[in-house]
């Protein structure tokens, strides 16, 4: 049976740690699907620290955009994170918000089409602060917010992390 869980919140709110805990409660061998592009050495080190934190029970997959290339059937998959995933679509579409949003929504639908998988999506609430004076940032914030809404509408559960505390939204 398909299950979609969305975990959202601000930076360093405990989203990933909580998502990992849920995944391990649901599966002895969950899949960790990382969507980040490695931009610089500091970010590479951050990725390595995240990988080392997880034990051997995890299957780690690095996938920048095409999540549907991987078969989710019968698995619990943690996707971390929607924000970086959207970033990849956004910049590959030359900051065309509408085009990027349509592409990422189609990929979400392809990936979550399986009726026998649990999907745990981690995302950021980047639109809760001040409105940026940078046009690219405003366009990305819009796209990210719309994608969060798209996933939340389809999710069975939505959690908001506040200072390490999960608050059930849906």
């Amino acid at each position: 049976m398909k299950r979609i869980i969305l975990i959202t919140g601000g930076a360093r709110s405990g989203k990933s740690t909580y998502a990992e805990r849920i995944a391990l409660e649901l599966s002895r061998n969950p899949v960790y699907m990382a969507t980040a592009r490695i931009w610089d050495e500091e970010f590479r080190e951050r990725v390595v620290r995240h990988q080392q934190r997880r034990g051997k029970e995890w299957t780690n997959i690095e996938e920048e955009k095409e999540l549907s290339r991987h078969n989710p059937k019968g698995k619990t998959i943690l996707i971390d994170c929607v924000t970086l995933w959207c970033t990849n679509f956004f910049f590959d579409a030359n900051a065309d918000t509408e085009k990027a949003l349509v592409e990422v929504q189609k990929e979400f639908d392809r990936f979550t089409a399986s009726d026998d998988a649990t999907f745990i999506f981690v995302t950021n609430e980047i639109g809760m602060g001040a409105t940026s004076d940078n046009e690219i940032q405003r366009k990305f914030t819009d796209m990210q917010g719309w994608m969060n809404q798209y996933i939340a509408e389809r999710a069975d559960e939505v959690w908001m992390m506040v200072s390490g505390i999960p608050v059930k939204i849906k």
Side-chain angles (χ1 to χ4, degrees), residues 126-127 129-142:
I126 62 174
T131 302
S132 175
D133 60 358
N134 180 290
E135 180 184 1
I136 295 292
Q137 288 177 336
R138 286 192 310 271
K139 289 171 79 174
F140 181 76
T141 298
D142 289 347

Side-chain angles (χ1 to χ4, degrees), residues 1-167:
M1 186 166 144
K2 177 164 61 176
R3 182 175 177 194
I4 298 174
I5 302 169
L6 178 65
I7 302 171
T8 189
R12 298 289 173 252
S13 62
K15 300 178 303 289
S16 295
T17 302
Y18 184 65
E20 289 171 13
R21 188 171 33 170
I22 290 173
L24 287 169
E25 288 172 3
L26 297 174
S27 173
R28 291 184 329 190
N29 299 106
V31 175
Y32 192 99
M33 192 168 289
T35 60
R37 287 185 178 162
I38 307 300
W39 297 295
D40 56 29
E41 191 55 35
E42 183 276 331
F43 200 79
R44 180 180 308 286
E45 291 171 12
R46 180 185 293 234
V47 168
V48 169
R49 280 194 308 273
H50 274 252
Q51 290 171 339
Q52 290 172 343
R53 185 181 72 216
R54 294 185 296 274
K56 295 181 188 279
E57 63 272 24
W58 289 90
T59 298
N60 292 301
I61 298 173
E62 304 286 332
E63 182 59 61
E64 295 179 5
K65 288 176 69 176
E66 297 179 54
L67 307 184
S68 63
R69 291 184 330 127
H70 306 276
N71 183 0
K73 188 171 176 67
K75 298 176 185 166
T76 296
I77 304 172
L78 192 167
I79 301 88
D80 198 358
C81 75
V82 172
T83 306
L84 293 173
W85 188 42
C86 284
T87 299
N88 300 334
F89 281 89
F90 183 74
F91 284 109
D92 287 353
N94 296 313
D96 182 332
T97 304
E98 188 174 320
K99 178 180 179 187
L101 182 62
V102 167
E103 288 178 12
V104 76
Q105 287 173 341
K106 285 181 183 176
E107 181 58 22
F108 173 87
D109 291 341
R110 279 190 296 271
F111 182 55
T112 60
S114 174
D115 287 334
D116 182 26
T118 298
F119 304 92
I120 305 168
F121 287 90
V122 174
T123 194
N124 291 285
E125 287 296 331
I126 62 174
M128 293 181 80
T131 302
S132 175
D133 60 358
N134 180 290
E135 180 184 1
I136 295 292
Q137 288 177 336
R138 286 192 310 271
K139 289 171 79 174
F140 181 76
T141 298
D142 289 347
M143 182 211 167
Q144 171 71 41
W146 291 323
M147 190 60 195
N148 284 351
Q149 291 179 50
Y150 189 84
I151 296 172
E153 182 180 320
R154 288 149 182 80
D156 301 291
E157 296 176 40
V158 178
W159 295 87
M160 170 75 121
M161 296 300 295
V162 180
S163 301
I165 299 169
V167 179

